[in-house]
Amino acid sequence: MSKSHRTSVCIIGAGPAGLLLSQLLANAGVDSIVIDRRDRSYIEGRIRAGVLERGTVDALTEAGVGDRMHQEGLVHEGFELAFDGERHRIDIAAHTGASVLVYGQTEVTKDLFDKRTAEGARFFFNAEDVTPEGMKTDQPTVSFTQNGTAMTVTCDYIAGCDGFHGVSRRAIPRDVLNTFERVYPFGWLGLLTERPPVSDELIYANHARGFALCSMRSQTRSRYYLQCEAGDDVANWSDTRFWEELARRIGEASAADLQTGPSIEKSIAPLRSFVAEPMRYGNLFLAGDAAHIVPPTGAKGLNLAVADVRLLSRALIERYRTGTTEHIGSYSQIVLARVWKVERFSWQLSNLMHQFPEHSAFEKRMQRAEFDYLVQSEAASKTIAENYVGLPLE
Ligand code: FAS
Ligand code: PHB
């Protein structure tokens, strides 16, 4: 048995990129269908990003999903960089006049799902063998099976919002697609605990034993990360071992305020920088992790996905409202110009804040010298601040 469906934009992926795109299109009266290989509870259960740039806060507010974010999110006007226990605050409010909002990606996803569902959005979960086809035609299709039933969605445009391991990027022919990648020789071990955070603001720490990050989800729920071996196994990390290592890396003064507790989530994420060009092929458009990955050091992954979606929704809405395709034509070029600048910042901060096995004594001194320069130079701290709060959309 097979079923056919028709929509304007078929969105592959119900993560933050796909959900926000569907909402922005719906707000402009453009119909979409959202297909995901997982279901809502699985997607909401993934613990990921924690910091929202001002552009992301604006986009979610404009989309009509900002109420809980503004009530529960924590406004942060600065964060700290630390080297071997010495801490330097980056005053992002003084440098940029802006702030960031600490509000977990999990909550953003829940808010988007709630509104999309309340508005009767068409979702297909647990989709298998999702296959985009006909991208070079004006009637592309996405076929898949769901509970054994073959489905085909015919549309005007396909939005590939299916993350790094999705199928959309792979639907672009090899002789068209160019990819750029840097895989880091370490991963991040993340831990979530119901304990007040060690500090009011985030602390990014570089220590001889490795990087550590002290973050949070609320005043009672903390999120911590430790740099670990690339192939490390979370089973090697008891809570006790995690807390002891974190205390070493953040230094005695900070560790004195550390409230340890049982982990409610613990996982290891690999780190890579990755970009795929172009982000458009015929009537297929890529957005979010489907097209690029940044190491989480700069808190950019989710925010970059939102920026892509703001530009893609603008292009698609323009086409349906006016018939012109100016921004559809320039989408890939405009969005990639910003992607590369954000890749640069995430790569730069990762190089500054982590211990690299291949680093010589000289390169370790270069890291320390860059930190010391940041501490003394207003200009250097300002550049960090303006990237952290988010670059202009274009
Ligand atoms: P997502 O990966 O979130 O969503 C893609 C969706 O597509 C998923 O729901 C998936 O099920 C679906 N999909 C995949 N293949 C499919 C197929 N064939 N058919 C249909 N659907 C398919 N960013 C930060 O800023 N800070 C962090 O601390 C941080 N930590 C992270 C930790 C991990 C383990 C990972 C993987 C990422 C992390 N990120 C972090 C980055 C993350 O937040 C992403 O940038 C963000 O989820 C991007 O959103 P999407 O582009 O929507 O992709
Ligand atoms: C998080 O809280 O998960 C987080 C915050 C900042 C980052 C990365 C992750 O740079």
Side-chain angles (χ1 to χ4, degrees):
M1 185 172 90
S2 67
K3 288 184 181 174
S4 298
H5 302 271
R6 180 70 177 79
T7 187
S8 299
V9 181
C10 187
I11 300 169
I12 305 176
L19 290 170
L20 179 59
L21 178 61
S22 176
Q23 189 59 55
L24 292 174
L25 291 175
N27 291 351
V30 179
D31 183 65
S32 65
I33 279 177
V34 184
I35 302 167
D36 202 293
R37 67 180 175 180
R38 301 288 188 175
D39 62 17
R40 173 172 178 174
S41 60
Y42 181 94
I43 296 166
E44 287 184 348
R46 290 188 301 225
I47 306 295
R48 289 190 174 167
V51 174
L52 306 184
E53 292 175 355
R54 58 187 161 182
T56 298
V57 172
D58 293 346
L60 294 170
T61 305
E62 287 157 25
V65 294
D67 291 350
R68 192 162 71 98
M69 173 183 69
H70 287 293
Q71 284 162 17
E72 298 177 13
L74 303 174
V75 175
H76 278 209
E77 297 189 339
F79 65 94
E80 295 189 359
L81 297 175
F83 249 76
D84 295 328
E86 183 184 338
R87 290 162 60 166
H88 169 59
R89 182 170 187 266
I90 301 287
D91 188 340
I92 53 180
H95 287 304
T96 69
S99 59
V100 294
L101 197 73
V102 172
Y103 187 69
Q105 175 173 327
T106 305
E107 307 315 317
V108 171
T109 307
K110 284 176 183 169
D111 296 340
L112 283 163
F113 263 128
D114 284 348
K115 187 166 174 67
R116 287 282 65 220
T117 306
E119 293 179 357
R122 287 190 287 173
F123 285 109
F124 290 95
F125 294 120
N126 302 311
E128 297 174 359
D129 305 320
V130 178
T131 310
E133 291 174 297
M135 282 74 77
K136 285 294 196 179
T137 72
D138 59 4
Q139 294 284 299
T141 61
V142 178
S143 59
F144 60 96
T145 55
Q146 186 189 48
N147 304 324
T149 302
M151 306 275 196
T152 301
V153 176
T154 303
C155 54
D156 300 324
Y157 302 102
I158 299 171
C161 301
D162 47 348
F164 184 69
H165 300 289
V167 292
S168 301
R169 185 177 69 248
R170 293 173 175 80
I172 299 177
R174 286 176 183 275
D175 62 348
V176 172
L177 192 71
N178 289 311
T179 60
F180 307 82
E181 186 169 48
R182 157 89 159 116
V183 177
Y184 295 85
F186 42 74
W188 274 23
L189 165 64
L191 180 146
L192 195 64
T193 187
E194 285 297 346
R195 287 291 186 277
V198 68
S199 172
D200 293 340
E201 296 179 329
L202 273 63
I203 304 173
Y204 294 79
N206 185 339
H207 183 276
R209 296 175 66 91
F211 169 82
L213 170 60
C214 302
S215 183
M216 62 199 76
R217 290 293 177 271
S218 69
Q219 302 292 11
T220 59
R221 177 172 284 200
S222 304
R223 177 78 171 162
Y224 295 101
Y225 295 93
L226 291 176
Q227 173 184 346
C228 62
E229 299 291 324
D232 207 343
D233 185 333
V234 69
N236 297 331
W237 287 88
S238 67
D239 288 3
T240 304
R241 182 187 175 198
F242 184 96
W243 292 122
E244 287 172 354
E245 187 61 31
L246 178 67
R248 288 192 193 99
R249 295 186 189 183
I250 62 176
E252 214 170 306
S254 304
D257 300 326
L258 186 59
Q259 295 191 45
T260 65
S263 58
I264 52 179
E265 191 272 350
K266 200 160 48 177
S267 55
I268 291 178
L271 267 66
R272 76 177 77 240
S273 298
F274 174 86
V275 179
E277 296 180 352
M279 287 177 59
R280 176 195 180 192
Y281 177 69
N283 288 317
L284 167 68
F285 298 87
L286 303 181
D289 278 17
H292 43 68
I293 295 287
V294 285
T297 324
K300 291 301 165 206
L302 170 60
N303 294 297
L304 205 43
V306 169
D308 291 357
V309 165
R310 295 177 74 189
L311 291 169
L312 181 54
S313 60
R314 176 184 70 175
L316 293 171
I317 292 165
E318 174 191 69
R319 183 271 190 204
Y320 284 105
R321 276 199 178 140
T322 68
T324 59
T325 56
E326 179 200 348
H327 287 114
I328 277 185
S330 61
Y331 169 73
S332 182
Q333 181 195 345
I334 289 175
V335 77
L336 279 167
R338 188 176 186 280
V339 164
W340 279 110
K341 291 176 200 162
V342 176
E343 289 280 348
R344 181 207 67 81
F345 173 67
S346 304
W347 166 83
Q348 177 201 37
L349 202 57
S350 299
N351 283 336
L352 175 63
M353 298 310 293
H354 289 81
Q355 293 290 308
F356 287 75
E358 71 271 21
H359 269 184
S360 64
F362 176 80
E363 281 146 330
K364 290 181 189 294
R365 284 300 178 98
M366 282 298 97
Q367 277 187 326
R368 178 69 213 210
E370 188 171 344
F371 175 75
D372 291 339
Y373 173 60
L374 264 177
V375 170
Q376 77 167 81
S377 164
E378 281 293 295
S381 290
K382 185 181 174 73
T383 62
I384 296 283
E386 69 181 15
N387 280 278
Y388 198 82
V389 293
L391 298 178
L393 205 52
E394 57 185 314

